Amino acid sequence: LHLHNTNWAAVGSIAARFSRRAPRFSCIYGPLMTEPKERRRAKPGAKRDNAAALNASRQEAQIETMGESDVKRQENQTTKLVKTVHKTLTKVGPINLFQLVINPASFSQSVENIFYVSFLIRDGKAFIDDQSGQPMIEACEPPQQDDYQSGLTKKQLIFSLDQATWREIIDVYSIEQSIIPPRTAKLDSNGLSQISSQVP
């Protein structure tokens, strides 16, 4: 019986003579036109290739996944660099924020410097004064609870820096060298970067 050659309208009208029930919507399980599927034979080396690809992806996942010890080491590294920036700021005294954070030889390190300075401001170890029209930053002692009760308030500063602005700041402020010690990155045995500051 070839289902695709069947006149379903004729079949329906014949069947309707023997049934008084109104026809209703129903679903047919599976397609009316079926074609036999061709069996694909696996290539002899396919299993080995799949196993090799799976092992490679697992190795990549292991490389990309950082363990708890790696995260702690990264956090310790950030803490060290924040301390280095605080030490530098304490030494140079009140200074223009741009002259402090901008590294004329490295846009990425300039962005990182802003990141480290943000920790100092968040913890109250530095403050920015813009009353002169320029953002002057200075190290300070963290405020106590009494200071906040006396009316001291925190303000949020959003700092956006792209490469064009970075170059413009270098030209406007004639920045020739980085005040925050530049950093060099080395890879350890695990392939993770270890950043060291050139601090005297």
Side-chain angles (χ1 to χ4, degrees), residues 26-41:
S26 61
C27 298
I28 297 175
Y29 293 104
L32 292 177
M33 297 181 67
T34 56
E35 294 180 3
K37 292 184 179 179
E38 292 183 10
R39 276 192 168 185
R40 293 183 182 177
R41 293 184 180 180

Side-chain angles (χ1 to χ4, degrees), residues 112-128:
E112 289 170 9
N113 290 341
I114 296 168
F115 174 69
Y116 299 135
V117 165
S118 71
F119 280 97
L120 296 178
I121 295 172
R122 183 200 66 181
D123 296 338
K125 295 181 179 178
F127 72 95
I128 296 174

Side-chain angles (χ1 to χ4, degrees), residues 16 69 83 88 109 111 188 193:
S69 59
K83 286 180 179 177
T88 304
Q109 287 199 17
V111 174
D188 62 11
S193 63

Side-chain angles (χ1 to χ4, degrees), residues 21-153:
R21 282 184 290 181
R24 60 178 184 170
F25 178 79
S26 61
C27 298
I28 297 175
Y29 293 104
L32 292 177
M33 297 181 67
T34 56
E35 294 180 3
K37 292 184 179 179
E38 292 183 10
R39 276 192 168 185
R40 293 183 182 177
R41 293 184 180 180
K43 295 179 181 178
K47 286 187 179 179
R48 278 176 292 182
D49 293 342
N50 289 341
L54 185 62
N55 287 336
S57 64
R58 281 177 181 167
Q59 287 177 354
E60 283 180 15
Q62 287 175 354
I63 291 170
E64 290 175 3
T65 304
M66 290 179 68
E68 285 185 23
S69 59
D70 299 326
V71 173
K72 278 189 177 180
R73 188 164 60 221
Q74 201 75 20
E75 287 175 354
N76 291 339
Q77 207 171 71
T78 301
T79 303
K80 281 182 184 177
L81 290 168
V82 170
K83 286 180 179 177
T84 300
V85 173
H86 184 251
K87 186 178 177 181
T88 304
L89 181 58
T90 305
K91 192 182 293 184
V92 298
I95 186 172
N96 186 287
L97 174 64
F98 299 129
Q99 292 175 330
L100 174 71
V101 298
I102 295 298
N103 181 339
S106 173
F107 171 73
S108 60
Q109 287 199 17
S110 299
V111 174
E112 289 170 9
N113 290 341
I114 296 168
F115 174 69
Y116 299 135
V117 165
S118 71
F119 280 97
L120 296 178
I121 295 172
R122 183 200 66 181
D123 296 338
K125 295 181 179 178
F127 72 95
I128 296 174
D129 182 8
D130 60 354
Q131 290 183 358
S132 63
Q134 291 291 328
M136 303 299 292
I137 185 168
E138 186 177 355
C140 63
E141 291 295 323
Q144 303 300 316
Q145 194 62 36
D146 296 339
D147 298 320
Y148 292 114
Q149 290 176 354
S150 301
L152 181 66
T153 57

